[in-house]
Amino acid sequence: MFSVLSYGRLVARAVLGGLSQTDSRDYSLVTASCGFGKDVRKGILKKGMCYGDDACFIARHRSADVLGTLMRTCERLVREGRFVPTNPVGILTASYYELLQNKVPLLGSSTACLVVLDRSNHQLHTANLGDSGFLVVRGGEVVHRSDEQQHYFNTPFQLSIAPPEAEGVVLNDSPDAADSTSIDVQLGDIILTATDGLFDNMPDYMILQELKKLKKTNYESIQQTARSIAEQAHELAYDPNYMSPFAQFACDNGLNVRGGKPDDITVLLSIVAEYTD
């Protein structure tokens, strides 16, 4: 679920290559999103900022900026201040169990990825369950990459709410199974958060090539780069002759596969900037 974030007088005074983290200023994220649903070529569109079955949110609280994929309830908990910046797994857990308690449950399954910037401590706290994920890029290089969680080929960890007749049959991972990390960030760091529709179709080196084109830190430039990345992944997903990361992974598992992987694609592109309220 995506909601537009008002940045107020947020100013990016950093160079994209990154600066030394020695000051006491608060940080924030300048974030833009873009994506495509896999049914967009069939003329099937959804209302709102949802990309097929994928969705994202950006929420701001006085202590942190939070963004993620596929969790509407997480967004509300952040906006209400019902979270601890250092514990994104707690946000995921509270959201999931709230869904379980609904009188009319929302049936289905989902991977999830949460990224929390602790504004005053200059730290990124993350929780990733399944095959969505994020990159932290500094000076044109990936300095951190989230770990993908798979039970076996093309079967990622996921949160599930099954109908009564399917309980105990479908895969259902606990929110506590999410991979969590804490990372120090610097002004100018680039954070790319995305669903598997991006990572299955674009290897890191292609993503870095697009990020090198990002010369400014204003929202419009970030939005343009996010769109460029999403569009390229969308095109590659439908190329039958392209050896995508997904196809390579399939071959590694004994399957004769070639081409991209048509899928929903969500891209959130952020730059760590100085925050002024």
Side-chain angles (χ1 to χ4, degrees):
M1 185 64 219
F2 179 88
S3 63
V4 177
L5 181 63
S6 175
Y7 290 102
R9 291 180 295 148
L10 182 64
V11 180
R13 298 179 182 175
V15 178
L16 284 173
L19 296 178
S20 175
Q21 183 178 315
T22 58
D23 60 70
S24 59
R25 294 171 294 180
D26 284 355
Y27 289 178
S28 191
L29 296 177
V30 185
T31 303
S33 75
C34 188
F36 296 94
K38 61 178 175 287
D39 292 325
V40 69
R41 294 189 175 207
K42 301 176 184 178
I44 301 174
L45 299 174
K46 292 189 175 183
K47 293 181 179 180
M49 298 299 292
C50 294
Y51 309 115
D53 290 328
D54 284 0
C56 59
F57 77 89
I58 304 169
R60 169 182 257 184
H61 189 261
R62 61 179 178 273
S63 62
D65 289 332
V66 184
L67 52 90
T69 61
L70 303 169
M71 298 296 289
R72 180 195 297 264
T73 310
C74 287
E75 178 188 13
R76 181 174 53 76
L77 293 175
V78 171
R79 292 189 178 279
E80 293 175 355
R82 296 163 58 190
F83 75 107
V84 178
T86 57
N87 185 22
V89 173
I91 304 173
L92 194 62
T93 301
S95 174
Y96 177 61
Y97 284 107
E98 183 173 309
L99 289 175
L100 289 178
Q101 294 169 4
N102 285 348
K103 293 181 180 179
V104 182
L106 179 65
L107 303 180
S109 63
S110 177
T111 63
C113 183
L114 288 174
V115 175
V116 182
L117 174 67
D118 190 322
R119 192 168 293 131
S120 61
N121 291 335
H122 305 170
Q123 283 190 320
L124 205 67
H125 304 286
T126 68
N128 186 56
L129 184 82
D131 54 3
S132 295
F134 67 95
L135 305 175
V136 179
V137 177
R138 181 180 303 150
E141 297 182 356
V142 176
V143 296
H144 184 87
R145 194 187 204 285
S146 59
D147 292 326
E148 185 174 299
Q149 295 177 311
Q150 296 266 5
H151 288 287
Y152 42 85
F153 172 67
N154 205 28
T155 308
F157 284 31
Q158 53 202 289
L159 303 174
S160 300
I161 301 178
E165 64 272 14
E167 288 185 3
V169 178
V170 299
L171 286 172
N172 183 17
D173 297 288
S174 167
D176 293 336
D179 179 62
S180 58
T181 57
S182 294
I183 309 154
D184 291 329
V185 294
Q186 300 177 10
L187 290 174
D189 282 356
I190 298 172
I191 301 161
L192 183 141
T193 308
T195 55
D196 60 317
L198 173 69
F199 296 119
D200 280 343
N201 288 297
M202 285 185 72
D204 287 359
Y205 80 88
M206 282 190 182
I207 295 173
L208 288 175
Q209 286 176 349
E210 292 300 312
L211 292 179
K212 288 178 181 177
K213 300 175 184 178
L214 181 57
K215 302 299 183 183
K216 298 180 180 179
T217 58
N218 61 300
Y219 174 82
E220 290 74 17
S221 296
I222 298 169
Q223 178 68 67
Q224 183 178 0
T225 302
R227 172 166 290 279
S228 178
I229 292 171
E231 287 177 343
Q232 185 169 345
H234 185 61
E235 289 300 317
L236 292 171
Y238 292 89
D239 185 343
N241 298 313
Y242 170 57
M243 198 63 182
S244 65
F246 177 80
Q248 292 174 349
F249 189 25
C251 291
D252 292 341
N253 283 271
L255 301 174
N256 185 17
V257 175
R258 193 173 185 86
K261 182 191 177 188
D263 202 353
D264 302 321
I265 296 167
T266 292
V267 174
L268 285 163
L269 185 59
S270 310
I271 289 183
V272 178
E274 181 184 347
Y275 170 77
T276 57
D277 192 7

